[in-house]
Amino acid sequence: MPHTSDIRIEAWAPTREECLAEAVRGLVASFAAPPPAAPSDVYWTVPVSGETDEDTLVSVLDEVIYVLETEGGIPARVETAHGGNGPLLRFHLAPLHEATLTGAAPKAVTLHELRFGPGARGWSCEVTVDV
């Protein structure tokens, strides 16, 4: 990236929700390796909604940053699910202090060159994150 305080994440998957889950996994991998035995009973549920697909991507990644900053947790495992109001992502959280830090923690998702949508072989996204 042109700025040393930015990283770029690219993700792809057959479905919209799985692509979002892959983007979360990519964001976490950019700064930490979760502990091998992540708790299965500690989780954070994130609705998959937004006015646009790009808004949804930003909202989901912002939620990762929020959980990191307020709960001291990172998504060690990410699942797609369906709730009464639509699709959800479930983050199974691990304490940040138990993770192996590999880079700077994310601070914000930027709108610069943001892309998320369907293609010939499924869904893909590209997003820049300020660290």
Side-chain angles (χ1 to χ4, degrees):
M1 294 300 306
H3 303 283
T4 57
S5 59
D6 290 344
I7 60 167
R8 188 87 172 148
I9 296 170
E10 295 181 47
W12 53 94
T15 68
R16 179 175 180 256
E17 289 76 21
E18 262 309 308
C19 190
L20 289 166
E22 285 296 322
V24 169
R25 293 177 191 116
L27 179 59
V28 171
S30 75
F31 71 94
S40 60
D41 59 342
V42 179
Y43 62 89
W44 194 270
T45 302
V46 181
V48 176
S49 62
E51 287 191 30
T52 66
D53 292 325
E54 289 83 4
D55 290 342
T56 302
L57 175 62
V58 171
S59 175
V60 166
L61 296 180
D62 278 345
E63 199 71 17
V64 173
I65 296 168
Y66 177 79
V67 170
L68 173 66
E69 292 176 351
T70 63
E71 303 295 320
I74 59 170
R77 194 169 77 236
V78 183
E79 300 173 339
T80 61
H82 291 279
N85 294 327
L88 305 168
L89 290 182
R90 181 169 290 147
F91 302 162
H92 292 266
L93 299 178
L96 181 61
H97 69 272
E98 292 180 11
T100 302
L101 299 181
T102 59
K107 299 295 180 203
V109 178
T110 71
L111 303 179
H112 179 69
E113 296 183 12
L114 175 65
R115 190 187 62 70
F116 181 43
R121 297 186 295 174
W123 284 74
S124 63
C125 67
E126 295 179 52
V127 61
T128 301
V129 179
D130 183 37
V131 295

